[in-house]
Amino acid sequence: MAQLPSSPASPTPLPWAGLFDLFRIGIGPSSSHTVGPMIAAGRFMAELPRLPYSGLVVDLYGSLALTGKGHATDTAVILGLLGQRPDTIDPDAVAALLEGLRSRGSLDLGDGLAVPFRPEADIVFRKRETLPRHANGMAFTVTGPAGGAGLRRVFYSIGGGFIVEDGDEGEAKGFSAPAIPYPFGTAAEMLSMAASAGVNIAELQRRNERAFRDDGAISAGIAGIWSAMRDCVARGLRQRGELPGGLKVRRRAPALYERLQARAQANESDPMRGMDWVNLYALAVNEENAAGGRVVTAPTNGAAGIVPAVLHYYIEFVPGADERGIETFLLAASAVGSLIKRNASISGAEVGCQGEVGSASAMAAAGLAAALGGNNMQVENAAEIGLEHNLGLTCDPIGGLVQIPCIERNAIGAVKAINAARLALHGDGAHHVSLDQVIRTMRETGHDMLSKYKETSEGGLAVNAIEC
């Protein structure tokens, strides 16, 4: 069967997002402000006609301009222009790549051509301008010889590493092809199709994934995602010191890890130890993300710690947990993520952090409920609880950095997800508020939310807890 491209720049814009669209390996600190701009810049350069140009200017608008420095958007754009990809770049090579471009002052186009480009002058942060389609807009403009006619293309980074371009029809490029057997667009349709097919939600999602990969490739892909999540946690437990950016936030995961290990070795009894470990896993991932390390969008970088933390909880604290359960978890989680992505948003710049942490909590809750054997109504209920109790959550990062409150927010979101799954599993699946209703409410709440609370660092904690 045909393999999906690892890059989100698929030629066909579609409404359905699969597991490998929502869970993608990239680098921190932000899927919308780092991964998306890198992909857009790479696509622009790859498709740029090989002609002589006198210059290249990149304009960043809205949230990309307001918090772009803290989110390393300028660095991401440079790396994309250099042909680097989020899923393959070596984070340790970034400094040398940046220094090389600054020394040359130009980008190699091949065929003996180069375009002058000096990032300090040619990446422009237009903090008071927002493009109409989305808060995360960017424009790439090349000029012809002697300032003559050139080319301008406008892209939007809409969350989770997905991008759209002015002129694209429908949804973001990067969704999977339409020929899926169960094209559910709502939770009600998902439940109905699963009931008609006599399968659970995870199996329904697997059958859709089979339109592009056989079962061996699906399992191998999931194993790769889980391996990347484990590696991220493991590195986060080792790395010490302050996170970059100037807030002087110290990594907490290594010290907490040592304390928890010491308690375990001393056989200390603590009824809350499971929650401590969940907090630890989430902190480790999001400290890595804040440092620009390798993470998995789940469904975004800003909320990347929640699903791995709950998966680690499943493996470490649930008797009988196995690889099949991990697959069930991620398949069910991606089914829920696809619904939120399609019917609302996973972009903090569009709907606030309810779209990031809220979506991740819903996905993790659904995944855990499915892995623990919940029926389809219980899985949908778990997702609904996870999202409902993040409604209205703002995105107000201090200093434009994905650190405060983002790192702790992932720990809280992971614990919420576990509690949501447990609440759902203690019921029979019947509940008053549907997942579709909560998704619609999240979209409307995000629409009504003032822009200063949507990843602009112009309100909330970002202005009330400023570092002096």
Side-chain angles (χ1 to χ4, degrees), residues 413-431:
V415 174
K416 272 188 180 181
I418 294 169
N419 199 32
R422 292 181 65 85
L423 282 171
L425 292 172
H426 280 304
D428 61 3
H431 52 288

Side-chain angles (χ1 to χ4, degrees), residues 367-414:
L368 181 60
L372 293 178
N375 63 42
N376 290 344
M377 290 295 293
Q378 290 171 319
V379 171
E380 185 261 357
N381 187 203
E384 178 270 320
I385 296 170
L387 184 57
E388 178 184 346
H389 299 291
N390 282 289
L391 287 175
L393 192 61
T394 60
C395 184
D396 50 354
I398 296 175
L401 299 165
V402 192
Q403 297 178 18
I404 304 172
C406 319
I407 295 171
E408 285 182 355
R409 191 167 282 175
N410 274 256
I412 301 300

Side-chain angles (χ1 to χ4, degrees), residues 8 24 31-41 43 59-64 73 129-140 152-174 341 347 349-350:
R24 292 184 285 184
S31 51
S32 61
H33 286 58
T34 311
V35 175
M38 190 186 302
I39 292 168
R43 178 171 151 188
D59 293 292
L60 303 175
Y61 297 90
S63 180
L64 290 184
T73 303
E129 299 178 52
T130 301
L131 299 180
R133 188 166 178 180
H134 193 279
N136 291 334
M138 69 200 98
F140 298 83
R152 175 182 168 89
R153 294 176 68 179
V154 177
F155 296 86
Y156 302 89
S157 179
I158 63 172
F162 292 96
I163 61 169
V164 292
E165 183 179 1
D166 271 352
D168 287 347
E169 296 295 329
E171 293 282 343
K173 293 189 175 183
K341 177 71 189 70
S347 168
E350 193 169 17

Side-chain angles (χ1 to χ4, degrees), residues 24 65 95 104 112 153 173 184 191 210 230 234 243 245-246 273-274 276 287 309 331 334 348 360 374 388 402 409 451:
R24 292 184 285 184
R104 294 190 307 274
R153 294 176 68 179
K173 293 189 175 183
F184 55 85
L191 292 171
R210 284 180 185 146
R230 290 201 317 270
L243 296 171
R273 73 182 186 92
D276 285 339
E287 287 174 355
L331 285 162
S334 65
E388 178 184 346
V402 192
R409 191 167 282 175
S451 63

Side-chain angles (χ1 to χ4, degrees), residues 252-317:
R252 287 181 285 176
L256 177 56
Y257 181 48
E258 291 174 355
R259 286 196 297 275
L260 295 182
Q261 282 188 312
R263 288 180 187 175
Q265 292 169 1
N267 292 318
E268 292 183 14
S269 177
D270 182 354
M272 301 299 289
R273 73 182 186 92
M275 188 169 71
D276 285 339
W277 282 96
V278 172
N279 287 334
L280 171 66
Y281 299 137
L283 292 176
V285 170
N286 281 86
E287 287 174 355
E288 272 298 288
N289 179 62
R294 190 173 301 283
V295 299
V296 178
T297 63
T300 65
N301 283 30
I306 294 172
V307 168
V310 178
L311 263 176
H312 274 79
Y313 166 81
Y314 167 72
I315 289 295
E316 298 295 334
F317 290 93

Side-chain angles (χ1 to χ4, degrees), residues 78-79 82 84 89-104:
I78 295 168
L79 294 172
L82 290 171
Q84 298 295 317
I89 188 171
D90 177 4
D92 294 330
V94 169
L97 289 168
L98 298 178
E99 182 55 35
L101 174 60
R102 290 190 176 99
S103 298
R104 294 190 307 274

